[in-house]
Each structure stands twice: as C-alpha cells, then as structure tokens.
Amino acid sequence: MRRIHRLLVANRGEIAARVVRTCARLGIESVLAASDADLDSLPARLADRVVRLGPAAASESYLDPDAVVRVATAVLADAVHPGYGFLSENPALARACAAAGVVFVGPAAESLEAVGDKLSARAHAVAAGLPVVPGGEAADLAGARTVAAEVGYPLLVKAVGGGGGRGMKLVGDPADLARTLDLAVSEAAAAFGDPRVYLERFVSSGRHVEVQVLGDGTDAVALGDRDCSVQRRYQKLLEEAPAPLLPDRLRRDMADAALALARHLGYRGLGTVELLVDRERETFYFLEMNARIQVEHPVTELVTGLDLVAEQIAVAEGLPLRIRQEDVVLSGHAVECRINAEDWVHDFRPSPGRVQRVVLPAGDGIRVDTHVQAGSVVPPFYDSLLAKLVVHGADRADALARTRAALRLLRIEGVTTTVPVHEALLADPRFAAGGVDTAFFERFLDAARPVGVR
Amino acid sequence: MSAVHLGPDDVRDVLRVLDSNGLDELHLELADLTLTVRREGAGWTAEQTVLREPVRVRTSGGPAGRAVDGAGDGRGDRDGSAADVPEGLVPVRPPLLGTFYRAPQPGAPPFVDVGDRVVEDTVVGIVETMKMMTPVHAGVSGAVVEFRTGNGEFADDGAVLLLVDPAGADVA
C-alpha cells in the first residue's frame, strides 16, 4: 500500500481538468504535465502546479513514456494518472513507472498486455467463459477461407493491433476475400506495425453496450452498463446509462460476463468490457476491454453516485475495494453529449481556434466537464472534444427532456460546435424510442443533413 | 484548492440561494475567478472564468524537463508569410490550419515535387487537423515552383504551402 500525496496528470483536455478536480477534493496535490500548446490551458490554471512535458506534437510529449516518467520523477510525484487515449493503456509506461518507483494509476502491465492485443483479449475472454463473435485468425488466404466457411458472409477483416474502428474491413462476397485480405494485411503492417489480421462474423444490427468494472486485483464489482451505440465512423457522440430496453436476463448476464473477465485477469483498476448486443438474436458477444477510465464515465457516476477517479486512485494505492456489489444501486438515467469543435454541416470538419465565450447550463442534475473558458485556444494538434454535457433525470424520458433544455442554454462561441447535431438527434423519435443500433446515426445524418450540403 | 474554480455542486448552492430570494442574476468577482449566473427561461446558466495564472514548476535535466518560456498558442510561427509571393505565381494555401504532409504516409514518395505539373484538383499534400486528414488541392493549373512549408510543419490558416506558376502549365 502506498498513499498518493502528489499526482502527475499526464494528459490534457477535459479529462485533465476532471482528474485535477478529484485530486483537489481528496487533498492530493496535482501537477499537470502539459505540452507547449497547453501550458496556459484551463486545466493548467486549475492544477496546483504545471510542468512542461514537451513540444506541442503529441509524439514528443503526451505519447512519450520517457518524457512522462522523467517529469514525474523531477517533480517528485508519487503517481501518474494517464487519463484516456495517449499512453493510458501503454504497458511501457506502466513498466517505466514501476521501475522509477512511481504508482501508475491503471492496471498492471500484464493486464494491459492481456487485453491490448485483440487476439489475446479474445483468448482471455474465451478462457473466462465469455461468448465471442464467431471468427478466428487468418494467417494466409487458405486459413482465411477455412475461417470464412465457418463464419459465413458478410464478415469483417480486423487488424489484431487495431481498435476503435481502425483497421477494419467489410467483405460481403467470397470473391472479394483475397483482395481485401491482402489490403488489410499491408495496411495493418503500416498502421499498427503488426500485419496480423483475423476474421469475424459481421453482426448486421448490433448495439454497443459496455459494462463498467472496478477491480482491486483480487475481486471486482460491476458498476452498471452504458449504451454507446450512437457513433459516427466508430467515434461515439452520445452515451447513456443504463442501456435502455435491455431484457433483465441479458443485462444480468452481461454484468456477470464482465465480472468473470475482470476476475480471470486478476484485474486491478477501472476498466470497461465492451460488448456487442446482437439485436436480432437477443444475445451478446465480447468485443474488447478498455483498461482505462473512459470519456463516458460521468454517466455511470451520475447513476451510481460514485467518483470513479477517486475509486481508481484508491485501488492504485493498493487499497481493497470499498464498494460491495450489493451497495451498487442505480438511480435514474443519465445522458452525455460530446460537444466537439466540429462543423457537422460540412462533414464534421474540425474547427480549432480561440474560444470567445463559454456559457454553460447549470442546476440540478446538470454537469459539464470542459477544458475551455473565454479566451481558451483549441489547438489543432489534439482531438476536438470541447466539453461533455452530462444530465441526470428520474428516468430516460426525463433525462432526454432535461438534456434538450440544457443544450438550448449551452453556448461556446468562437469555434463551431456539435451542439446543433445533438439538438437534431434528441428531436428524433427513433432515438427517443431507445435502443438504436450502431448504424442508426449514419442513417440519421444522411436524412438530417441540410439539402445541398454533402 | 480554495476558490479557484466552482464545481457543479457549488454553483447549485449559489442557484438555490438566488432562487429562494427571487433573484435572476448574480455576478461574483474573486481574486482567482469571476462567475456570472443568470436565469434563462426555466433554467440557469453559469459563465465562469478562472483568472488564476498557471503555477509553473521549473525543472532541469533532459530536454523534456527544460523550462521554455512563451507557451504560444499552439500555432506555428513559420507561416510562409503571404507578403513575398512573387508576381505571376499563385500560392496554394491549406483548406484549414493543421500539420502539412507532402506524402500519403511516412516514407512514401511525395504527392508532387518542384517542377511537377498540376491541375486544379491535383492533390499536392494533406493537412492533419485534430486527428482528421484533409487533402490539399492545387486549385490552379501550372508547375510547382517552390515549397514554402516543409513536410511535418505546421501551417496556419493563411500560410503558403507552395507556389505554382500558371504559365508553367503550357511548358512541355
């Protein structure tokens, strides 16, 4: 057990501000490691102190494990919180932290490796008794044909090193298999430095539902589920908790599956087990496990009343779980809208620049996690997430109504934001009915986009 | 952390006080922050600015630890200033600001090089902005005369990426 008194936040944006907030509440001194582009950011103003991590280019700052450990050591930090993205699931950072005697606020390097590679994650899921999408590795064309014969068409060719929708190709016809396989292998080698690919059955109507887990290395608890089916090019736009319209049996089985995997891994930390719910078969399959805090964690916080960053820090300190499964009681429904600096009318073109004014909705059940205020610069080097509007309601209909009202009051001026696309989405009766699949949002966009704009 | 930033719970407490007193607006100015809360229709809005300056730790040692002054705003200063575009040549500018790449991927041959002929829709490079890639089209017919922004360099809105000689289009 090691108490954390000073914590280095090795990330940027809203999650940096989010981690700093919990540190302040817990009396932990926060030091933000910022690139040159972020030294004057809102998180830098909120943190107790800020230290330069490196140049604006992420490869030389937020993505450089040596730089992070060097800075952590220089400021005498007890721990490093990696946030999400960047190095959050990088075993090299976890090992370098351990070697430097600094606590990594995340799972053990072995766990990161176990779930970091798609094939390894799949093998662990199978070993833990989780259902997986029918499929298998395709070392060559003959192997691919054998797997394809079992899986059937249409199928997906996925890069072992991919994730988040990257390195994935759809094959509708057996005649296209050879060509797509060649392309997928060469692209995987170029993009991920790993040419291995595998084949998987394509589920035509699937929902993306994930279970939040927290483990202390011995035991684990499930903290409810989230529905993240509203996606564009595999990027989530809106998430909610709990996942609507799931049969009780399915929801229970999914939570049990996530716990089985966490226990099988001896998992210590916060993690998310992503599952694909097959709408037609009313069943689910393991997709992947994310070994970090996620962007959409606040919807879970609002329905459970927990501070997930605080729990994450506690298990990183070596404390046993302080939540028992029977203590996890979900209340109401929560929705998160990701407000990005993008122009949805022009194919979600990025909109970096200087923010002139930030007016946020406030009141009961409303929370906005953001890293911008009047005068903030949104640099072009990183992702476009400006803020997350998170709204809690008594039930789903109430949460959606409150979200609509809150969106009308939210104004981030100076850059173009995705507020209008959320307003349009929340006005859509199919979305309001609940339980849309992952293909819904692209169809919605095709219909909703103003005439004459591509 | 004292009153550097008011969280949702703090703001909610402020709203309760306003509500119970029938007030519609409050403007608060503290040493480290300003906050304006306002009733808007049936809801409330909050506008908060953290004035506190970042407190920098200066470390010595490796390159990442070296303190560098002037945080900048993340925009490059090498913007191939538009002032010195020679007469008769046409500058190609980025469709939006971002990091300019001359080739589709590292190690690949460049899209175009000096001396190459281009037409309006020839792709002469890509810019990466917020992890999104946007192709750069020449927008003019002619011959590439010079690159003003190098591979991997940041290009601001008005930057000149390269110069095209429209007369070069006729040269065999």
Side-chain angles (χ1 to χ4, degrees):
Chain A
M1 218 212 93
R2 165 142 177 221
R3 285 306 305 271
I4 295 169
H5 300 285
R6 182 179 296 161
L7 182 141
L8 185 83
V9 182
N11 210 302
R12 65 175 310 280
E14 65 83 23
I15 194 63
R18 166 72 191 85
V19 173
V20 165
R21 192 166 75 235
T22 287
C23 285
R25 194 172 66 72
L26 299 178
I28 295 173
E29 185 189 348
S30 58
V31 183
L32 180 75
S35 78
D36 285 338
D38 292 327
L39 286 169
D40 193 37
S41 63
L42 178 58
R45 290 164 184 266
L46 296 174
D48 291 314
R49 293 187 296 156
V50 56
V51 61
R52 177 178 185 266
L53 183 58
S59 57
E60 296 172 65
S61 50
Y62 300 112
L63 284 171
D64 181 355
D66 293 338
V68 170
V69 174
R70 197 157 52 226
V71 164
T73 310
V75 302
L76 305 176
D78 303 308
V80 168
H81 194 301
Y84 51 66
F86 295 125
L87 294 172
S88 57
E89 295 173 278
N90 186 305
L93 178 62
R95 288 192 205 285
C97 282
V102 178
V103 173
F104 175 72
V105 182
E110 294 73 27
S111 295
L112 292 172
E113 275 157 0
V115 301
D117 164 320
K118 288 212 161 213
L119 276 181
S120 161
R122 192 179 154 98
H124 280 287
V126 170
L130 274 69
V132 295
V133 183
E137 192 169 6
D140 51 30
L141 184 57
R145 289 216 164 104
T146 310
V147 176
E150 293 161 19
V151 168
Y153 290 86
L155 57 79
L156 289 171
V157 182
K158 290 184 163 187
V160 171
R166 301 196 312 138
M168 216 150 95
K169 293 186 184 304
L170 181 67
V171 186
D173 189 297
D176 296 333
L177 182 63
R179 195 178 49 83
T180 309
L181 191 71
D182 272 354
L183 196 63
V185 168
S186 56
E187 282 188 12
F192 312 111
D194 179 352
R196 291 177 301 154
V197 298
Y198 65 104
L199 308 188
E200 214 175 73
R201 173 186 291 165
F202 176 68
V203 175
S204 62
S205 180
R207 291 172 61 186
H208 175 129
V209 179
E210 57 188 31
V211 179
Q212 178 72 64
V213 294
L214 175 73
D216 63 7
T218 307
D219 203 3
V221 286
L223 305 175
D225 47 56
R226 299 185 284 256
D227 192 315
C228 312
S229 301
V230 178
Q231 305 182 354
R232 174 180 170 272
R233 298 183 187 170
Y234 304 100
Q235 298 298 308
K236 299 166 186 171
L237 276 96
L238 179 147
E239 304 94 343
E240 50 186 312
L245 304 178
L246 272 192
D248 288 345
R249 175 196 54 79
L250 198 58
R251 194 188 301 279
R252 211 167 39 239
D253 289 351
M254 291 168 74
D256 288 345
L259 281 176
L261 181 58
R263 291 195 179 116
H264 162 82
L265 293 169
Y267 194 80
R268 194 201 64 234
L270 206 54
T272 299
V273 179
E274 286 192 357
L275 303 166
L276 176 66
V277 173
D278 187 329
R279 293 214 311 176
E280 284 152 11
R281 297 182 178 87
E282 274 215 356
T283 181
F284 69 90
Y285 307 107
F286 169 79
L287 279 182
E288 58 186 79
M289 181 167 186
N290 299 317
R292 56 162 196 271
I293 191 157
Q294 291 205 245
V295 176
E296 59 270 25
H297 76 276
V299 289
T300 298
E301 294 187 319
L302 291 191
V303 296
T304 59
L306 294 169
D307 177 340
L308 294 182
V309 175
E311 298 310 319
Q312 193 182 24
I313 289 173
V315 295
E317 286 181 322
L319 292 171
L321 286 177
R322 44 193 184 186
I323 307 157
R324 292 172 306 172
Q325 192 63 56
E326 56 266 36
D327 298 336
V328 180
V329 180
L330 305 184
S331 133
H333 195 92
V335 175
E336 172 180 282
C337 299
R338 297 193 188 191
I339 313 296
N340 293 338
E342 291 169 16
D343 181 0
W344 80 291
V345 173
H346 293 100
D347 206 22
F348 290 83
R349 181 168 64 194
S351 175
R354 190 177 291 276
V355 172
Q356 307 295 341
R357 198 174 172 209
V358 177
V359 181
L360 302 176
D364 287 332
I366 297 173
R367 162 175 162 186
V368 183
D369 286 10
T370 185
H371 63 109
V372 294
Q373 63 176 9
S376 292
V377 169
V378 183
F381 310 109
Y382 315 110
D383 70 40
S384 60
L385 184 62
L386 292 172
K388 304 185 305 202
L389 169 67
V390 203
V391 181
H392 191 217
D395 54 28
R396 187 168 187 268
D398 183 43
L400 295 186
R402 286 165 173 266
T403 305
R404 287 184 200 104
L407 277 170
R408 278 195 291 274
L409 299 176
L410 192 153
R411 296 190 292 279
I412 298 178
E413 297 169 9
V415 294
T416 306
T417 79
T418 50
V419 166
V421 77
H422 284 291
E423 290 183 316
L425 176 65
L426 283 153
D428 187 281
R430 287 159 301 176
F431 172 74
V436 296
D437 69 10
T438 53
F440 160 77
F441 188 66
E442 302 262 12
R443 289 196 305 267
F444 160 82
L445 281 178
D446 287 342
R449 224 165 269 175
V451 181
V453 178
R454 83 191 148 88
Chain B
M1 194 163 58
S2 54
V4 164
H5 182 257
L6 300 184
D9 296 339
D10 307 309
V11 172
R12 204 147 42 229
D13 290 345
V14 171
L15 298 183
R16 290 214 175 96
V17 173
L18 293 188
D19 224 10
S20 60
N21 289 284
L23 298 172
D24 289 335
E25 188 168 331
L26 170 90
H27 186 67
L28 193 66
E29 281 189 36
L30 302 175
D32 281 336
L33 71 92
T34 65
L35 171 73
T36 301
V37 293
R38 197 174 280 128
R39 195 189 294 273
E40 292 197 34
W44 291 91
T45 59
E47 203 172 345
Q48 187 169 182
T49 306
V50 176
L51 304 173
R52 176 181 183 261
E53 291 293 326
V55 180
R56 285 285 294 277
V57 189
R58 308 270 164 183
T59 60
S60 54
R66 201 183 307 132
V68 169
D69 281 315
D73 60 5
R75 292 172 180 234
D77 39 27
R78 215 174 353 222
D79 61 6
S81 141
D84 52 351
V85 173
E87 198 159 329
L89 299 188
V90 178
V92 178
R93 299 178 198 280
L96 68 171
L97 81 183
T99 305
F100 179 59
Y101 294 104
R102 288 189 50 193
Q105 56 211 32
F111 290 104
V112 293
D113 223 324
V114 171
D116 286 354
R117 288 173 55 176
V118 296
V119 294
E120 276 83 352
D121 58 3
T122 302
V123 173
V124 296
I126 42 179
V127 288
E128 180 186 3
T129 313
M130 294 176 148
K131 295 165 128 186
M132 276 184 257
M133 302 291 182
T134 312
V136 182
H137 299 278
V140 60
S141 291
V144 177
V145 172
E146 180 193 350
F147 275 86
R148 286 282 175 92
T149 304
N151 187 53
E153 282 184 10
F154 186 77
D156 222 323
D157 274 327
V160 176
L161 301 175
L162 56 140
L163 296 173
V164 174
D165 181 0
D170 305 326
V171 181

